[in-house]
C-alpha cells in the first residue's frame, strides 16, 4: 500500500481514496455473497495474494455480479491444480535485469512498482517476485541504461503493478528520462487505475502526457461494460486530448464475461468512450485461478460471435501468451 501522505500543496485525493481501499478481511467476509468462507480460510487466501478492493466498487456493484466476482476471494483459490503455476507467462526467465522484461523484438516492459489499484483474483503476476524486481530510482536508472544500450528497442511499456501507482513527480521524471533516449519512439502505459480511481488522472499527469512528444499509448484493463463509469469516460477524454492512443485489454473470465452479448456490449461501450479493444486474453494459468478458466473451444466460439456482430475494428485479438514464443499468439 502507498502510505497516505497528505500535504497542503498536494491534496492527493486519489491516494486518500486508495489508502482506504484495503478492506479488512472481516469486512470482506461480511461482504461475500454467501458466508461460505471461514475467517481462517480467508486469512490463508489473503496471505497467498492479499485481498484488496475499493470501497466504491463494493458500494456500487452487486456482490455476486460480474464486477466484484473479479475482486472478491473464492475458496476455489486454495485448490492446487496441475498446470497452474507461479509464473505462467515466463516473466522470470525473460527478466534481463531487475524490473526489465524483454520477450519480444523492439519492445521492453518495465515493472515500475509492485502496487495495483485493486487485486484481480485472476492475476497472472500475483506471485511475481517483486522484492527482487522492485525498482527504485536507482533501478530505473539501470533499466533505462539497458534500453539505452539496446538500440533495437523502440517502445517502452510501463507496467507493474500499475505505473500510475507512482507519484506524478516520479512518472514525470521517468517520461523525461525516456524521451532522452534517441531510439525510443513510443511510451506505452498499461494501467487499471483510471477505471478504478478516475481521480488518479490528475492535472499534473495530463501535463506529463501532453508535454511528451513521443508516441503515447494507454492500454486500460476493463473486462465488463459495468466497469465503465461516467467519471472514467471523462478522464479518457482528457487523456485523448493529450494525443494519446487509447486501447483496452480484457481477460476472458468464466462467470464475468464469457458470453457473446457481454463481450459485444463491452466493445460497443468502449468505443463510445473513445477506446478501441486491443486484446482479449485467454486466462494465464496462475495458481488458484482455475475457476476463471474458459475452454479454448468456448473462447473461439465467443470470438467468432464477436466477429459476426461487430465491425472488425471492435473485435479484439483473442490472444494467449505462450512462454518462449516471439509474440503473443492470436
Ligand atoms: C505482452 C507483452 C508485451 C506487449 O506485447 P504487444 O503484443 O506489443 O502488446 C511486451 N513485452 C512483454 C514482456 C509482454 O508480456
Ligand atoms: S491490475 Fe494487472 S497486475 Fe494488478 S492485480 Fe490486476 S491483473 Fe494483476
Amino acid at each position: 500500500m502507498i502510505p497516505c501522505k497528505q500535504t497542503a500543496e498536494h491534496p492527493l485525493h486519489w491516494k486518500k481514496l486508495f489508502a482506504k481501499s484495503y478492506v479488512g478481511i472481516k469486512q470482506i467476509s461480511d461482504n461475500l455473497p454467501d458466508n461460505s468462507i471461514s475467517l481462517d480460510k480467508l486469512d490463508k487466501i489473503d496471505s497467498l495474494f492479499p485481498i484488496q478492493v475499493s470501497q466504491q466498487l463494493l458500494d456500487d456493484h452487486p456482490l455476486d455480479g460480474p464486477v466484484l466476482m473479479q475482486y472478491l476471494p473464492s475458496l476455489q483459490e486454495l485448490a492446487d491444480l496441475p498446470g497452474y503455476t507461479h509464473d505462467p507467462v515466463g516473466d522470470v526467465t525473460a527478466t534481463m535485469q531487475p524490473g526489465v522484461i524483454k520477450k519480444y523484438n523492439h519492445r521492453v516492459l518495465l515493472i515500475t512498482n509492485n502496487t495495483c489499484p485493486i487485486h484481480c483474483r485472476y492475476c497472472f503476476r500475483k506471485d511475481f517476485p517483486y522484492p527482487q524486481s522492485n525498482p527504485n530510482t536507482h533501478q530505473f536508472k539501470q533499466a533505462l541504461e539497458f534500453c539505452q544500450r539496446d538500440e533495437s528497442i523502440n517502445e517502452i511499456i510501463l507496467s507493474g503493478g500499475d505505473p500510475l501507482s507512482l507519484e506524478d513527480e516520479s512518472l514525470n521524471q521517468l517520461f523525461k528520462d525516456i524521451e532522452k533516449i534517441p531510439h525510443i519512439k513510443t511510451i506505452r502505459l498499461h494501467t487499471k487505475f483510471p477505471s478504478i480511481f478516475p481521480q488518479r488522472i490528475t492535472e499534473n499527469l495530463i501535463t506529463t502526457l501532453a508535454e511528451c512528444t513521443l508516441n503515447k499509448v494507454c492500454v486500460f484493463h476493463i473486462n465488463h461494460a459495468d466497469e465503465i463509469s461516467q467519471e472514467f469516460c471523462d478522464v479518457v477524454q482528457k487523456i485523448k486530448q493529450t494525443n494519446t492512443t487509447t486501447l483496452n485489454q480484457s481477460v476472458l473470465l468464466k462467470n464475468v464475461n464469457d458470453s457473446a452479448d457481454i463481450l459485444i456490449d463491452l466493445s460497443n461501450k468502449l468505443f463510445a468512450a473513445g477506446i478501441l479493444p486491443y486484446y482479449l486474453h485467454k486466462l494465464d494459468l496462475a495458481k488458484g485461478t482455475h475457476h476463471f478458466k474458459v475452454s479454448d473451444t468456448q473462447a473461439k466460439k465467443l470470438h467468432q460471435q464477436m466477429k459476426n456482430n461487430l465491425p472488425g475494428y471492435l473485435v479484439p485479438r483473442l490472444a494467449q501468451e505462450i512462454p518462449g514464443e516471439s509474440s503473443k499468439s492470436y
Side-chain angles (χ1 to χ4, degrees), residues 13-14 168 198-207 235 238:
H13 188 44
W14 67 272
D168 282 342
Q199 304 84 351
R200 174 65 192 93
I201 308 305
T202 58
E203 287 309 319
N204 283 340
L205 181 59
I206 291 295
T207 305
V235 300
K238 283 193 190 172

Side-chain angles (χ1 to χ4, degrees), residues 130-161:
Y130 285 112
Q132 292 98 285
S133 258
N134 198 1
N136 47 36
T137 318
H138 180 61
Q139 284 190 345
F140 279 142
K141 189 165 173 287
Q142 288 177 357
L144 295 183
E145 279 166 7
F146 176 91
C147 300
Q148 174 96 43
R149 279 195 303 277
D150 184 345
E151 291 188 17
S152 74
I153 299 169
N154 59 29
E155 174 168 12
I156 294 184
I157 301 169
L158 304 181
S159 182

Side-chain angles (χ1 to χ4, degrees), residues 72-309:
L72 291 179
S74 155
L75 262 183
Q76 303 197 71
E77 292 179 38
L78 294 173
D80 194 3
L81 267 77
Y84 289 79
T85 68
H86 288 300
D87 182 17
V89 295
D91 274 343
V92 172
T93 339
T95 297
M96 301 307 184
Q97 60 181 58
V100 180
I101 304 181
K102 185 163 190 292
K103 292 180 181 167
Y104 309 138
N105 289 340
H106 312 302
R107 285 151 288 168
V108 75
L109 185 149
L110 300 192
I111 300 287
T112 55
N113 67 87
N114 63 354
T115 307
C116 291
I118 196 160
H119 283 179
C120 315
R121 304 316 298 172
Y122 54 84
C123 178
F124 67 109
R125 220 172 252 157
K126 63 182 178 175
D127 295 319
F128 189 76
Y130 285 112
Q132 292 98 285
S133 258
N134 198 1
N136 47 36
T137 318
H138 180 61
Q139 284 190 345
F140 279 142
K141 189 165 173 287
Q142 288 177 357
L144 295 183
E145 279 166 7
F146 176 91
C147 300
Q148 174 96 43
R149 279 195 303 277
D150 184 345
E151 291 188 17
S152 74
I153 299 169
N154 59 29
E155 174 168 12
I156 294 184
I157 301 169
L158 304 181
S159 182
D162 194 307
L164 296 192
S165 303
L166 296 176
E167 306 268 355
D168 282 342
E169 296 73 24
S170 314
L171 264 176
N172 189 263
Q173 189 58 50
L174 189 53
F175 267 65
K176 295 272 183 291
D177 291 341
I178 290 173
E179 273 194 286
K180 287 187 202 131
I181 307 175
H183 48 274
I184 302 300
K185 306 293 179 223
T186 304
I187 300 188
R188 189 193 321 180
L189 290 164
H190 276 206
T191 179
K192 189 143 176 132
F193 251 105
S195 56
I196 306 295
F197 295 108
Q199 304 84 351
R200 174 65 192 93
I201 308 305
T202 58
E203 287 309 319
N204 283 340
L205 181 59
I206 291 295
T207 305
T208 296
L209 286 172
E211 286 177 351
C212 175
T213 55
L214 302 178
N215 303 317
K216 293 155 291 189
V217 183
C218 189
V219 184
F220 303 111
H221 179 180
I222 291 173
N223 297 320
H224 192 286
D226 288 358
E227 296 178 277
I228 301 175
S229 65
Q230 187 54 50
E231 293 76 18
F232 169 72
C233 295
D234 293 345
V235 300
V236 173
Q237 286 311 311
K238 283 193 190 172
I239 293 171
K240 283 171 71 85
Q241 279 162 16
T242 67
N243 203 18
T244 298
T245 300
T246 45
L247 306 174
N248 182 64
Q249 57 177 347
S250 307
V251 184
L252 183 58
L253 300 165
K254 192 159 145 191
N255 293 329
V256 173
N257 59 10
D258 59 336
S259 105
D261 287 348
I262 289 175
L263 292 168
I264 291 164
D265 185 45
L266 174 60
S267 273
N268 283 323
K269 296 217 167 108
L270 285 168
F271 187 53
I275 303 164
L276 287 177
Y278 178 39
Y279 279 140
L280 174 62
H281 293 278
K282 292 190 200 165
L283 183 75
D284 296 316
L285 305 188
K287 265 196 191 307
T289 64
H290 72 280
H291 51 298
F292 288 113
K293 177 70 185 160
V294 176
S295 74
D296 284 355
T297 321
Q298 178 67 0
K300 228 176 135 184
K301 199 172 124 200
L302 291 170
H303 195 236
Q304 186 58 48
Q305 285 172 295
M306 294 182 87
K307 289 182 192 166
N308 295 350
N309 291 287

Side-chain angles (χ1 to χ4, degrees), residues 1-57:
M1 289 292 309
I2 291 184
C4 176
K5 273 190 292 170
Q6 283 228 78
T7 65
E9 312 85 77
H10 300 284
L12 302 179
H13 188 44
W14 67 272
K15 283 194 169 182
K16 222 170 92 181
L17 285 166
F18 184 37
K20 280 202 281 193
S21 78
Y22 182 88
V23 186
I25 293 183
K26 174 72 180 70
Q27 199 177 338
I28 285 286
S29 81
D30 294 342
N31 278 291
L32 290 174
D34 52 39
N35 291 327
S36 57
I37 311 187
S38 60
L39 280 178
D40 61 319
K41 289 268 168 33
L42 268 182
D43 226 15
K44 171 92 176 126
I45 293 170
D46 191 63
S47 71
L48 292 172
F49 183 49
I51 298 156
Q52 185 185 311
V53 55
S54 75
Q55 190 61 53
Q56 186 79 42
L57 237 53

